[in-house]
Amino acid sequence: QVQLAEYGGGSVQPGGSLRLSCVASGRISSINDMAWYRQAPGKQREMVASITYYGTTKYQDSAKGRFTISRNNDKNTVTLEMNALKPEDTAMYYCNADVFYTGSFYSHDYWGQGTQVTVST
């Protein structure tokens, strides 16, 4: 099986920074698109940033200019650098990846368990 594990969540003051990372492990052949989503209590899950295999990025308007998504295909990792954090960024952040697993010609969408980001004084 394939697992995604997120790291780097925590509590930070407004204006601060956090760096989230996600590591995919298991019987992985390659990974297509990767993305970071977030969900606040009582709210819909929303995509914050995405990145293709070759590095084309897409950002939610509220994150553009503050967040940066990157990936390392050799290490099967994706990173989200978050700067100038605001209280409204508070949410559970989830890693998402479309993974080609070993022995299959099909890809499957996987989710991490989530890492909490809290922005407050």
Side-chain angles (χ1 to χ4, degrees), residues 37-93:
Y37 287 73
R38 68 185 179 190
Q39 186 170 26
K43 302 295 183 181
Q44 296 292 315
R45 186 171 299 187
E46 61 181 0
M47 188 178 74
V48 180
S50 65
I51 184 168
T52 69
Y53 181 87
Y54 291 105
T56 300
T57 59
K58 177 76 173 181
Y59 296 93
Q60 185 194 62
D61 191 60
S62 65
K64 197 174 184 64
R66 299 188 298 124
F67 294 4
T68 302
I69 188 170
S70 61
R71 64 188 291 167
N72 186 315
N73 294 330
D74 293 328
K75 297 181 178 180
N76 292 326
T77 61
V78 62
T79 298
L80 184 68
E81 297 179 0
M82 304 185 293
N83 299 308
L85 284 163
K86 306 173 181 179
E88 52 262 44
D89 294 318
T90 297
M92 185 72 72
Y93 283 70

